[in-house]
């Protein structure tokens, strides 16, 4: 092995180890994420259609994902094996990052260490952070990257092996199609590789032809059209006629048509209806590793982004024969078009499928590409590097902040998920199951995510997310037999004895015994509890008195001060106004028919602190509830 090859191999090993070290916090903890625990709700030791989402995955055009996922989950029997499976997929992330490094440094005009940095940054984006601990999402989120990477490698051989050109193209289409029937959003990482190729150029600049970039985009689009048509007009009819695997596809397709339109195989190009999603796309992309940024920050970030892309457009060998204005215009157009095109799976479909971290990995990867391009070309500048010190300093600061933020997100998620599992473990272990034949699981209150790190995909565990599968996982791990036991989830937590006339004290643990449920109210804080959505609902175990004075002691958010808040007690509708942010008591006389059991507060349209650019809190705050009292006049 030559010294150069040894140096490259050493750098590749460094990339792998750095990625593994980054994800180290997930090791040594017992937990699952969202529907990971669904594994423990069915007999997963029988192949290959048991996973509850199998029918849906077939119906929405991901049959290979469904099969691979069922095979993968055969090897998960308890929380320890779930942890081993997670370790395996983190290992795959490290392998993918290493192969990515080897590919771009050997084929593109990028420095060896810049390629290593780009690999590390790309594979520590939020999508990979999610996939590092979400076992049931690992196959769709990680495996397609290997398919599209291999497809890109084959394409680079296209013009070098004229005798095998047709075979190469068939292989590329086949790999892309296989990736699409696993998970389309991850497949579009193919375009990220094309974007990197365009920005940095090839090792041999004489081989850089704009037609190659166009061809790569068209190959992916043609593959997608073929995929779309084959799923809609071949797979769907076959599934409906054959009752494949004993699955009820008719009712599932009916559900997709009525309730889950985002999964319909229909396109929507209504730009007006897409504005919000396009806005969300840019917010998430330019936020990269950080909590979603306000537009006041995204605009300058976008300008810096455009400036570096202009620089790249002037240097890319793909536009070398054009005049400067044409290079800038065409270069910027392609540089924006390709990452936006990578978001097609969630932009052109029906419905309002949200822009989530895990579905925009391909688009978001453009951000580290631009950062590393600025660093790489600055270092290549040689003697004039002093002029670019500000670029190096800003880039280094950004990278450091990004990695710290991403690492914090990972640690915070592991902490919350582990705490949830430990909470259920302690509860089940402490229950006298033989006497009660019931397992009652109180909620676990997680601290508010003031940083805004747990947003979109991460936000699922910002609230109580304990499931039956989690209880089953604990039982398998501890060897307890809970067959025939009733599992009850108590959303209100521990109750304290109180009469309705004593009211609700919101800074106490749990709720009084006369409250049966609530909605739109956050966890306990020092003062009490915030309402956190457009409406807050409190349901009482018994009907409220016919006549009473409702006394609400609360502060108000700035969005609510001076504006009417609708109050509904049963069928009675009233309005109340809080005139200041400080705590104040409002007394409202109420007369009902004696059957009312709910109090509903509906707030004027509010925005979260994050949307206002004032912090990372994603809650839509209304009232800071301190005390609610029912003063009966019966």
């Amino acid at each position: 092995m030559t010294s150069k090859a040894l140096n490259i191999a050493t750098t590749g090993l460094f990339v792998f180890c750095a990625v593994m070290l980054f994800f180290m916090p997930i090791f040594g903890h017992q937990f699952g994420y969202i529907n990971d625990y669904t594994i423990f709700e069915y007999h997963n030791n029988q192949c290959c259609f048991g996973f509850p989402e199998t029918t849906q995955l077939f119906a929405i055009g991901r049959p290979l994902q469904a099969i691979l996922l069922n095979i993968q989950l055969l090897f998960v029997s308890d929380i320890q094996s779930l942890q081993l499976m997670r370790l395996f997929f983190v290992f795959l992330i490290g392998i993918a990052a290493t192969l990515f490094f080897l590919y771009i440094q050997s084929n593109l005009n990028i420095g060896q260490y810049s390629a290593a940095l780009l690999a590390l940054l790309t594979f520590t984006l939020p999508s990979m952070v999610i996939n590092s601990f979400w076992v049931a999402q690992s196959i769709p989120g990680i495996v397609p990257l290997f398919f599209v990477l291999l497809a890109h490698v084959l394409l680079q051989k296209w013009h070098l092996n004229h005798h095998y050109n047709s075979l190469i193209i068939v292989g590329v289409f086949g790999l892309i199609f296989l990736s699409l029937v696993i998970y389309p959003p991850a497949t579009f990482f193919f375009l990220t590789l094309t974007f990197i190729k365009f920005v940095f150029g090839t090792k041999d600049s004489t081989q850089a032809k704009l037609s190659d970039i166009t061809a790569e985009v068209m190959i992916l689009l043609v593959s997608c059209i073929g995929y779309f048509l084959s799923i809609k007009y071949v797979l769907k009819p076959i599934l409906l006629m054959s009752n494949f695997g004993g699955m009820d596809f008719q009712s599932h397709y009916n559900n997709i048509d009525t309730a889950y339109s985002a999964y319909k195989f229909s396109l929507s190009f209504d730009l007006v209806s897409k504005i919000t999603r396009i806005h969300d796309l840019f917010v998430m992309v330019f936020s990269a590793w950080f909590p979603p940024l306000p537009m006041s920050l995204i605009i300058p970030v976008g300008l810096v982004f455009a400036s570096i892309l202009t620089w790249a457009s002037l240097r890319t060998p793909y536009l070398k024969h054009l005049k400067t204005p044409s290079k800038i215009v065409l270069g910027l157009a392609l540089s924006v078009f390709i990452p936006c095109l990578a978001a097609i799976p969630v932009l052109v479909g029906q419905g309002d499928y949200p822009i989530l971290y895990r579905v925009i990995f391909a688009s978001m990867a453009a951000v580290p590409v631009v950062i590393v391009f600025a660093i790489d070309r600055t270092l290549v500048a040689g003697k004039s590097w002093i002029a670019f010190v500000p670029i190096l300093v800003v880039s280094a600061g950004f990278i450091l902040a990004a990695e710290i933020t991403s690492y914090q997100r990972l640690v915070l998620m592991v902490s919350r998920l582990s705490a949830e599992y430990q909470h259920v473990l302690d509860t089940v272990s402490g229950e006298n199951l033989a006497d009660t034949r019931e397992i009652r699981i109180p909620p676990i209150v997680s601290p508010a995510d003031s940083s805004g790190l747990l947003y979109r995909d991460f936000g699922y565990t910002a609230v109580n997310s304990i499931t039956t599968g989690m209880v089953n996982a604990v039982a398998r791990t501890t060897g307890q037999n809970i067959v025939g036991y009733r599992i009850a989830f108590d959303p209100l937590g521990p109750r304290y004895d109180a009469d309705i006339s004593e009211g609700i004290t919101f800074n106490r643990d749990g709720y009084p015994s006369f409250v049966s449920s609530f909605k739109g109210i956050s966890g306990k804080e020092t003062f009490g509890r915030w309402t956190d959505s457009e409406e807050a609902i409190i349901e009482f175990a018994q009907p409220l008195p016919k006549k009473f004075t409702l006394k609400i002691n609360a502060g108000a958010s700035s969005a609510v001060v001076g504006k009417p808040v609708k109050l509904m007690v049963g069928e009675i509708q009233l309005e109340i106004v809080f005139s200041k942010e400080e705590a104040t008591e409002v007394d409202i006389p109420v007369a009902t028919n004696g059957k009312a059991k709910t109090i509903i507060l509906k707030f004027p349209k509010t925005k979260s602190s994050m949307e206002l650019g004032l912090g990372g809190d994603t809650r839509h705050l209304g009232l800071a509830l301190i005390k609610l009292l029912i003063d009966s006049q019966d």
Side-chain angles (χ1 to χ4, degrees), residues 56-78:
Q56 178 188 3
L57 292 172
F58 268 91
I60 63 178
R62 304 175 193 172
L64 186 54
Q65 177 189 342
I67 294 171
L68 291 177
L69 190 58
N70 274 279
I71 294 173
Q72 169 203 344
L73 299 181
L74 285 173
F75 301 97
V76 179
S77 58
D78 52 25

Side-chain angles (χ1 to χ4, degrees), residues 382-402:
K383 294 181 180 179
S384 60
W385 69 270
I386 295 177
F388 297 100
V389 165
I391 295 177
L392 292 175
V393 171
V394 171
S395 298
F398 184 92
I399 290 170
L400 182 61

Side-chain angles (χ1 to χ4, degrees), residues 14 72 83 154 243 359 374 421 449 524 553 563 587:
F14 167 80
Q72 169 203 344
Q83 180 67 5
L154 284 179
N243 195 31
V359 299
Y421 180 79
D449 176 30
K524 186 194 74 170
N553 190 343
K563 296 179 181 178
D587 296 350

